[in-house]
């Protein structure tokens, strides 16, 4: 391959007393030289990937299965349902009924929406560059008249957007206090017609996310995005007081009367439901004990509680009364998954109490539908799935080096000897769900077989499964992945010359480790929006926050040595590597595009084989959540074309 030249520099970083050479440090900068190099790499990637491939046919396939993308759930307030529709927000009397446009978007992506409890004002988060950074727009529902709102920028939608006060006079929100690059955030309160002020929630100097939950009697500050706890409480108008401040586990719940009803893994790795008295943090009552399923979230609906859980990764929803007694179960359409935020904290932003439980549901072979259920009633289909994949679902288990069985699902169109794509994540207590993903469905429709693996580190099987590949045990995730790949080859489901791997974000790091440490296993590796340089990540305030949580202490020499053994950029040595296609977003605030640039440059220089090492940084694309639809389609088209080219598929 005739790659755009990438010079090296003699930079050596001192990290906790350890000298770390960084020959491609210059690619971290956003200079004209770097942008030109990035454009040349993108042009090369496109020319190589689409050589001999029918671009229009691939795009048509992507669009056909993208039709099953997750629908936006409507939000309820004062007899109205608000939902994203086209390029705006519509309000109607029924969840998906004909309605009136309340907010029109000429440009930008809707990150979230939150109507006031009285239905008079709509708050919405708007992102205009794919980055997830969004600003709050306020409109008067009756007239569509814009209202003055806060000027602060929200780093993402992870804290739920805004939390309205019950009297609709204003709302709390969590936003940046400076530039996005500084990654300093705080809680603010905005009162309609008055203005915005900092809200002094006692959470110290932590960069962790905080979401305020408000009722007429209590306000609760839930703190920590991945394992939230009710860190502070108060009566409205009174001072905040610390509540549960020293707890390594998760306590994720809602205010119900004078109690905080929550799912917790404290004393129960698979979860239990408790009621905590809001006037006494030591007064806990167990409502639902730990069982065989993994409890995930709780949603109050009237005088009932809808308890979402995982039964061997498949969704189950039980209905409880306020005392925790089971009074029913939601008859789900099939064995599949409910739509849910990545992190428990975001799931606490349920908005105004709705008269029914509204949820999105899909399977590995059928796209997202939207359903509602009322206590004592039947399941109602609000929006039916639009795509059904002609494939079967199987399952298997691979045995990791320490004897633990690592499960996976197989989605196959029935072709014998079809190329196999492994998709996995295994990090941050985030569950990889048995749910519909348009890009993966398009790969199966193109003749491939999908293996969705569940290595340790994810949230599929409870707290112990997560912690088994957390911080100093991060390497366990990589060993689990190798065990799955070797098992697929040993059982004849896959062959090394037709086996590919993909993953995003921390899953992109997993891909980088796999490509550099076991290149013999893979024909192609496709990291998306990847984290690839752990040492460099410690210089980024956001990633420094993530690395300290999930990996270790960059100020500890032993932890730094461990980083060096697990950081893909540092693992590159001259050798023969599989085909690699790195896809990144120019405005990604989480895994900045320089990760893909530096890794690609170093791997291109180290490649002694003939397989291409390609990188494409897409403009106006971020980490995925706020990337515009047209850009996402182009990303998926190139990603799928690379697989088609690398694995010899024909469409």
């Amino acid at each position: 391959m005739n790659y755009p030249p990438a010079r090296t520099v003699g930079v050596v970083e001192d990290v906790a007393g350890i000298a770390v050479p960084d020959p491609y440090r210059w690619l971290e900068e956003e200079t004209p030289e770097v942008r030109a190099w990035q454009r040349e790499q993108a042009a090369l990637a496109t020319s190589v990937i689409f050589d001999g491939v029918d671009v229009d046919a691939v795009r048509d396939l992507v669009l056909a299965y993208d039709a099953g993308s997750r629908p936006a759930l409507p939000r309820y307030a004062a007899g109205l349902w608000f939902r994203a529709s086209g390029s705006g927000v519509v309000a109607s009397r029924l969840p998906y009924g004909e309605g009136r446009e309340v907010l029109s978007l000429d440009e930008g992506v809707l990150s979230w929406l939150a109507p006031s409890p009285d239905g008079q004002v709509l708050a919405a988060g708007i992102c205009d560059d794919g980055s997830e950074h969004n600003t709050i727009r306020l409109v008067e529902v009756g007239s569509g008249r814009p209202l003055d709102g806060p000027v602060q920028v929200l780093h993402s939608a992870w804290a739920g957007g805004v939390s309205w006060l019950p009297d609709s006079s204003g709302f709390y929100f969590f936003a940046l206090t400076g530039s996005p690059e500084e990654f300093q955030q705080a809680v603010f309160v905005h009162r309609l017609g008055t203005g915005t002020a900092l809200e002094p929630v006692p959470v110290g100097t932590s960069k962790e996310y905080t979401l305020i939950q408000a009722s007429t009697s209590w306000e609760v500050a839930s703190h920590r995005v991945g394992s939230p706890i009710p860190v502070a409480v108060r009566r409205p108008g009174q001072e905040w007081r610390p509540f549960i401040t020293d707890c390594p586990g998760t306590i994720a719940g809602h205010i119900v009367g004078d109690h905080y009803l929550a799912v917790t893994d404290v004393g129960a790795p698979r979860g239990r439901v408790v009621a905590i008295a809001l006037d006494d943090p030591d007064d806990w009552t167990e409502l639902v004990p730990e069982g065989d399923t993994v409890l995930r979230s709780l949603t109050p609906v009237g005088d009932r509680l809808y308890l979402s859980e995982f039964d061997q990764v498949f969704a189950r929803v039980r209905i409880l009364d306020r005392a925790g007694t089971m009074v029913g179960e939601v008859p789900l359409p099939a064995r599949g998954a409910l739509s849910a935020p990545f992190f428990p904290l975001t799931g606490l932003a349920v908005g105004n109490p709705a008269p029914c439980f509204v949820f999105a549901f899909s399977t590995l072979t059928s796209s997202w539908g939207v359903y509602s259920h009322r206590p004592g009633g039947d399941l109602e289909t609000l929006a039916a799935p639009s795509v059904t994949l002609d494939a079967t679902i199987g399952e298997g288990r691979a045995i990791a080096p320490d004897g633990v069985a690592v499960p996976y699902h197989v989605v196959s169109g029935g072709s014998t000897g079809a190329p196999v794509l492994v998709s996995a994540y295994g990090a941050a207590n985030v569950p990889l769900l048995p749910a519909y993903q348009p890009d993966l469905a398009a790969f199966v429709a193109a003749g491939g077989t999908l293996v969705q693996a569940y290595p340790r580190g994810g949230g599929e099987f409870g707290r112990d499964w997560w912690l088994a590949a957390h911080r100093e045990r991060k390497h366990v995730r990589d060993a689990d992945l190798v065990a799955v790949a070797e098992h697929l080859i040993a059982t004849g489901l896959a062959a090394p010359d037709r086996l590919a791997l993909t993953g995003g974000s921390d899953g992109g790091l997993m891909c980088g480790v796999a490509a550099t440490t076991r290149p013999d296993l893979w024909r192609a590796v496709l990291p998306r929006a990847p984290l690839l340089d752990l040492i460099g990540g410690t210089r980024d305030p956001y990633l420094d926050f993530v690395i300290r949580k999930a990996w270790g202490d960059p100020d500890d020499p032993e932890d730094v040595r461990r980083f060096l053994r697990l950081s893909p950029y540092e693992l590159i040595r001259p050798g023969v590597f599989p085909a690699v296609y790195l896809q990144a977003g120019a405005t990604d605030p989480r895994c900045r595009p320089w990760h893909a640039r530096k890794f690609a440059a170093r791997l291109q220089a180290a490649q002694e084989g003939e397989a291409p090492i390609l990188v494409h940084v897409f403009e106006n694309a971020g980490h995925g959540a706020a990337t515009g639809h047209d850009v996402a389609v182009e990303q998926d088209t190139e990603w799928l074309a690379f697989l088609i080219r690398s694995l010899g598929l024909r469409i």
Side-chain angles (χ1 to χ4, degrees):
M1 298 294 297
N2 187 20
Y3 298 114
R7 59 185 173 85
T8 58
V9 293
V11 173
V12 178
E13 181 87 357
D14 183 300
V15 186
I18 299 171
V20 182
D22 192 355
Y24 295 96
R25 171 73 70 86
W26 66 278
L27 283 170
E28 291 186 12
E29 304 300 324
E30 294 295 336
T31 64
E33 179 190 14
V34 169
R35 294 190 190 101
W37 183 89
Q38 181 173 286
R39 288 192 297 270
E40 291 174 14
Q41 290 281 359
L44 174 65
T46 300
S47 66
V48 171
I49 289 170
F50 291 134
D51 182 24
V53 175
D54 187 335
V55 181
D56 292 335
V58 177
R59 186 180 292 107
D60 288 345
L61 188 64
V62 166
L63 287 170
Y65 287 91
D66 182 70
S69 295
R70 182 182 307 176
L73 289 178
R75 305 298 289 265
Y76 180 81
L80 291 174
W81 293 88
F82 296 78
R83 71 180 189 276
S85 179
S87 59
V89 176
V90 168
S92 59
R93 290 292 175 183
L94 298 173
Y96 286 93
E98 292 187 10
R100 175 176 55 84
E101 187 174 75
V102 176
L103 173 66
S104 176
L105 293 180
D106 296 328
E107 57 183 27
V109 173
L110 182 70
S111 295
W112 52 267
L113 59 88
S116 61
D118 62 8
Q120 299 294 310
V121 177
L122 173 70
I126 311 299
C127 174
D128 60 9
D129 64 357
S131 67
E132 297 181 46
H133 302 147
N134 63 93
T135 53
I136 298 171
R137 188 176 301 179
L138 301 178
V139 295
E140 193 174 64
V141 171
S143 65
R145 179 173 64 92
L147 304 176
D148 291 337
V151 298
Q152 288 80 9
V153 174
L154 282 63
H155 190 266
S156 67
W158 284 3
V162 306
S163 301
W164 281 95
L165 296 167
D167 64 1
S168 299
S169 63
F171 50 79
Y172 296 106
F173 65 98
F174 191 65
L176 295 161
T177 58
S179 71
E181 292 72 23
E182 294 169 330
F183 192 62
Q184 295 289 343
Q185 303 183 95
V187 177
F188 293 84
V189 61
H190 177 80
R191 299 190 181 276
L192 299 180
T194 302
T196 306
L198 282 167
E199 181 62 35
V201 181
V203 294
T205 58
S206 170
K207 291 185 176 182
E208 271 285 6
Y209 288 73
T210 303
L211 184 154
I212 305 297
Q213 300 168 281
S215 75
T216 56
S217 302
W218 291 94
E219 294 178 349
V220 173
S222 288
H223 185 60
R224 297 193 317 221
V225 66
S227 52
I229 56 173
V231 70
V233 302
R234 72 174 177 184
R235 295 280 190 179
Q238 297 183 6
E239 296 295 319
W240 290 101
R241 59 179 175 82
F243 194 60
I244 297 174
T245 59
D246 184 20
C247 175
T250 295
I251 307 169
H254 301 277
I255 303 167
V256 178
D258 290 328
H259 287 81
Y260 195 67
L261 270 56
V263 170
T264 182
D265 57 13
V266 175
R270 290 183 299 278
R272 58 188 177 124
V273 178
V274 297
I276 306 172
L278 286 165
D279 58 3
D280 183 357
D282 297 322
D283 184 356
W284 291 41
T285 301
E286 183 174 271
L287 304 183
V288 179
E290 182 181 29
D292 294 332
T293 60
V294 175
L295 307 189
R296 193 65 184 178
S297 66
L298 200 64
T299 304
V301 178
D303 62 353
R304 294 291 186 257
L305 305 168
Y306 281 70
L307 177 61
S308 174
E309 48 199 305
F310 299 152
D311 184 359
Q312 296 300 305
V313 309
F314 291 104
R316 180 188 183 192
V317 182
R318 284 186 280 170
I319 308 170
L320 316 173
D321 63 18
R322 294 287 178 89
T325 302
M326 181 174 170
V327 297
E329 185 168 340
V330 177
L332 298 176
R335 295 185 79 207
L338 267 66
S339 169
F342 290 128
F343 296 110
L345 182 74
T346 316
L348 303 184
V350 296
N352 306 302
C356 53
F357 179 59
V358 176
F359 62 97
F361 180 89
S362 76
T363 73
L364 285 164
T365 57
S366 60
S367 64
W368 293 95
V370 180
Y371 306 86
S372 72
H373 186 270
R374 295 175 186 270
D378 296 326
L379 187 70
E380 180 183 356
T381 300
L382 302 179
S386 59
V387 175
T388 300
L389 187 62
D390 184 14
T392 60
I393 303 173
E395 59 184 38
R397 292 177 181 269
I399 305 303
D402 59 2
V404 172
V406 181
Y408 60 84
H409 285 120
V410 180
V411 184
S412 172
S415 300
T416 302
V420 174
L421 172 66
V422 176
S423 175
Y425 185 69
N429 198 23
V430 173
L432 184 62
L433 303 176
Y436 182 83
Q437 295 185 63
D439 50 356
L440 301 181
F443 171 75
V444 175
T449 293
L450 169 68
V451 170
Q452 181 157 294
Y454 307 100
R456 281 170 284 182
E460 300 88 358
F461 298 101
R463 183 176 178 83
D464 288 349
W465 192 258
W466 163 42
L467 294 181
H470 184 62
R471 290 181 71 85
E472 68 277 0
R473 295 187 56 78
K474 270 285 194 176
H475 63 279
V476 169
R477 189 252 313 257
D478 303 312
D480 285 359
L481 176 68
V482 169
V484 169
E486 291 182 333
H487 177 74
L488 296 174
I489 294 169
T491 57
L493 181 62
D497 63 344
R498 303 200 85 193
L499 180 61
L501 171 66
T502 194
S505 194
D506 201 323
L509 186 144
M510 172 197 71
C511 289
V513 172
T516 53
T517 61
R518 288 301 307 272
D520 56 302
L521 284 176
W522 316 101
R523 178 64 177 266
V525 178
L526 297 86
R528 305 184 82 173
L531 164 64
L532 292 164
D533 180 2
L534 287 175
I535 300 299
T538 64
R539 296 189 296 273
D540 179 318
Y542 171 78
L543 276 182
D544 181 69
F545 158 71
V546 171
I547 289 168
R548 288 178 186 275
K549 278 166 55 76
W551 291 85
D553 183 356
D555 301 318
D556 183 331
E558 285 305 311
D559 281 1
V560 172
R561 292 187 184 94
R562 184 162 49 81
F563 293 173
L564 292 171
R565 295 192 297 270
L566 297 171
S567 177
Y569 176 67
E570 307 298 341
L571 290 171
I572 296 172
R573 300 291 184 273
V576 176
F577 298 98
V580 174
Y581 171 59
L582 296 135
Q583 192 175 87
T587 60
D588 191 335
R590 305 194 184 282
C591 299
R592 298 187 185 277
W594 57 256
H595 286 271
R597 293 193 296 245
K598 290 176 64 178
F599 183 84
R602 201 168 197 173
L603 196 62
Q604 287 171 352
Q607 173 67 296
E608 295 178 342
E610 296 182 356
I613 310 297
L614 305 174
V615 59
H616 190 158
V617 178
F618 283 78
E619 301 298 327
N620 295 317
H623 208 59
T627 298
H629 178 261
D630 291 347
V631 177
V633 167
E634 292 309 307
Q635 288 180 309
D636 287 352
T637 299
E638 195 163 287
W639 174 88
L640 180 57
F642 182 81
L643 281 168
I644 290 170
R645 180 187 186 280
S646 299
L647 299 177
L649 287 167
R650 295 288 183 267
I651 62 169

